[in-house]
Amino acid sequence: MDKRRKNYFGCIANERIQELTNEQRLKLFKKKKLYVSSSVVAIPFNKTINLNDKSNFKTRLEPCPLLLDTYYAFILQRYQEHINNVFINFFHQFNNHTIGLKKKEAKIIARLLFMNIINNRNAPGFDFVHLLENPDGIPKLENTPKIELYYTKHEAMKLNAIQNYPEGLNEYLTGNANYFNEKLINKITILKEIIQFEGELKIILALNEQYKFEKYSTPPPSIGNQSETKSSKKDSKDPIFKNKIPTDDEMDAYLMKYVFSEKDKFSLIVILPLLLLVIFCCFPFLYNRI
């Protein structure tokens, strides 16, 4: 445990925090400089507002950035094995079922799975676009790379971890590491979401590194060691995806348009059944979490 995290873990162990009201708890957090206050104002649509009038502002207490970072890092460390298992379960099956395929063929399957992850309900539910112009003034619209959106959600999950389950922060600040056990995962929704999200983030980073689906400028978040350890467990019955895989017709259209040219129709006839067999038979768990 690094020095910064130790400064927060157990930092209010003697304060009997569980006996405090929510107002008293926030007051204590502010006193300990765990929370900081900020003034916010809601800007109404199509209406002017006097920003010099202090009555239009409200004071809001929020966790300081360092507390967000260290508490989230603590959660990831406590449940790293479960995050790794999401990653291992995926690639254990993917590697087995792409044996003997050429890289171009394996990339088709990898892209379909990549798209299923970035479009499922764990993925960021927002998007950013950039309207640009070339030197001749012709407009161009660029979507933000999906991995950058994942980085943005990774940062947002830090606040969600506290807002959705403040009791967990209480246990962390009082130094109760044993509270964060495996049984808690099934009780607390945000912990399940964090584990699944971080595991899928590791998957898309690994797929993108191998197959170069997109270029991005934002450095990806630190997500821990991706290698399998002796304590990591494979569970091939543990489903990953929540969206339905593309239909046969959608797969045919995609292959015809983006993969095979007119002169490659014979290759399509030979390879397409193989690809469909691999995707629809070797990844049956894709249907389990629609």
Side-chain angles (χ1 to χ4, degrees):
M1 184 175 293
D2 63 41
K3 183 177 180 181
R4 295 190 308 171
R5 200 180 310 167
K6 186 176 180 181
N7 288 339
Y8 287 119
F9 181 76
C11 68
I12 54 176
N14 299 320
E15 301 287 348
R16 293 186 176 182
I17 188 174
Q18 305 296 357
E19 300 176 7
L20 302 178
T21 65
N22 185 59
E23 183 178 349
Q24 290 172 330
R25 185 174 62 90
L26 292 178
K27 185 176 180 180
L28 174 63
F29 288 173
K30 184 178 180 181
K31 178 181 178 181
K32 296 284 187 178
K33 297 183 179 180
L34 302 174
Y35 274 47
V36 293
S37 59
S38 59
S39 296
V40 296
V41 60
I43 305 296
F45 183 70
N46 287 338
K47 183 180 178 181
T48 59
I49 187 170
N50 183 6
L51 297 180
N52 293 321
D53 185 355
K54 294 183 179 181
S55 64
N56 290 323
F57 290 80
K58 293 183 178 180
T59 301
R60 183 170 61 189
L61 279 176
E62 291 186 338
C64 70
L66 186 55
L67 177 60
L68 290 173
D69 290 342
T70 53
Y71 176 58
Y72 196 73
F74 172 82
I75 292 177
L76 297 190
Q77 183 271 326
R78 292 295 291 182
Y79 296 109
Q80 188 63 52
E81 179 179 325
H82 295 272
I83 295 171
N84 283 344
N85 283 344
V86 176
F87 180 87
I88 292 168
N89 289 339
F90 175 88
F91 277 102
H92 177 245
Q93 296 182 69
F94 178 79
N95 291 342
N96 280 342
H97 298 308
T98 53
I99 293 174
L101 295 182
K102 295 180 180 178
K103 186 174 181 179
K104 183 177 181 180
E105 299 162 358
K107 185 175 182 178
I108 298 171
I109 298 173
R111 184 183 182 278
L112 280 172
L113 300 177
F114 182 88
M115 294 299 294
N116 267 275
I117 295 177
I118 65 175
N119 289 317
N120 73 15
R121 68 183 182 186
N122 288 324
F126 51 87
D127 205 348
F128 302 124
V129 296
H130 307 280
L131 182 59
L132 309 173
E133 287 186 357
N134 69 6
D136 297 324
I138 299 175
K140 177 183 178 181
L141 190 70
E142 288 187 355
N143 291 4
T144 299
K146 297 297 183 181
I147 290 178
E148 292 191 15
L149 298 180
Y150 266 80
Y151 177 80
T152 301
K153 182 172 180 178
H154 171 87
E155 294 300 305
M157 291 290 278
K158 297 177 181 180
L159 183 59
N160 291 346
I162 293 177
Q163 289 183 335
N164 293 8
Y165 191 60
E167 293 85 354
L169 178 64
N170 294 345
E171 299 295 339
Y172 168 75
L173 293 174
T174 55
N176 188 6
N178 293 331
Y179 175 82
F180 297 89
N181 54 38
E182 292 192 6
K183 293 181 180 180
L184 194 65
I185 300 174
N186 294 323
K187 297 178 182 179
I188 308 303
T189 301
I190 187 61
L191 292 181
K192 283 184 179 180
E193 292 178 358
I194 290 171
I195 290 169
Q196 192 67 28
F197 172 79
E198 294 294 334
E200 291 179 1
L201 174 56
K202 295 178 78 167
I203 292 171
I204 65 170
L205 286 173
L207 287 174
N208 196 70
E209 174 68 20
Q210 185 171 358
Y211 296 104
K212 311 301 181 186
F213 293 126
E214 32 174 45
K215 296 179 180 179
Y216 56 94
S217 57
T218 302
S222 175
I223 54 176
N225 182 15
Q226 295 187 1
S227 62
E228 179 180 0
T229 63
K230 292 182 179 180
S231 61
S232 297
K233 304 173 184 177
K234 300 191 304 294
D235 183 1
S236 60
K237 295 181 181 179
D238 182 23
I240 298 176
F241 300 103
K242 297 175 175 59
N243 276 14
K244 188 176 181 180
I245 198 166
T247 64
D248 290 3
D249 291 339
E250 291 170 339
M251 182 64 180
D252 291 348
Y254 172 78
L255 293 172
M256 284 295 295
K257 183 174 182 180
Y258 296 105
V259 180
F260 299 101
S261 63
E262 288 295 322
K263 65 181 180 179
D264 290 330
K265 282 185 177 180
F266 177 75
S267 298
L268 177 62
I269 294 173
V270 175
I271 296 175
L272 179 57
L274 171 63
L275 293 176
L276 294 179
L277 179 65
V278 169
I279 294 173
F280 291 98
C281 295
C282 299
F283 288 86
F285 56 85
L286 288 172
Y287 293 97
N288 294 334
R289 296 177 71 176
I290 297 172

